[in-house]
Amino acid sequence: MLSNDVADLPGFFADLVRCETRLYNALNDRLRERHGIFTSQFEALRYLRDHPGSRVADLAAEFAIGVGATSKSVDRLEKQGWAARQPNPSDRRSSLLALTDDGSQLVDAAEKTVTESLTELIGNALDSSSASAAAQALSQLRSALERHQIGTPTG
């Protein structure tokens, strides 16, 4: 466990948030320009592609956002024709989410843009060992936060 003597945790937090914001915004600009979507839409579509039969609650849990906001986001994906709600045979109170063919094609094309962009943005700033160390540290931090349900929305 780190102590304040070992690391500047407020500085780490500030750097982490600013890096996340700048990377997110850069991806947002490129995805809008090339595919007409936002980063949040890409993330949701990618999750649905990789987790077929997910529910709105599953998306909300993955992205640590409220179910209501997630449902509205899914509504927008449906309106664009990229996703569809299907009846859940084991629970009539919820729906299962699926990508449409258009949604599947979109997320696959957008993923190439994301990969290229992150390679450029991160690869130009960090060498391979630094990027690997940062990825490992963030993965450990995320796992600990999720394991202890820290930062999980209550509604």
Side-chain angles (χ1 to χ4, degrees), residues 98-120:
L99 287 183
T100 63
D101 288 341
D102 286 348
S104 182
Q105 290 173 11
L106 175 61
V107 73
D108 289 346
E111 188 165 50
K112 290 178 181 147
T113 297
V114 168
T115 300
E116 290 168 3
S117 298
L118 291 176
T119 299
E120 174 190 329

Side-chain angles (χ1 to χ4, degrees), residues 121-139:
L121 294 165
I122 296 171
N124 286 340
L126 300 176
D127 63 31
S128 181
S129 67
S130 294
S132 293
Q136 183 178 3
L138 290 174
S139 178

Side-chain angles (χ1 to χ4, degrees), residues 55 87-94 96:
R55 301 165 303 133
N88 184 342
S90 63
D91 182 358
R92 290 193 292 166
R93 296 172 294 161
S94 71
L96 301 179

Side-chain angles (χ1 to χ4, degrees), residues 8-21:
D8 172 15
L9 295 180
F12 171 78
F13 176 78
D15 287 344
L16 178 66
V17 170
R18 298 323 175 273
C19 286
E20 186 275 338
T21 301

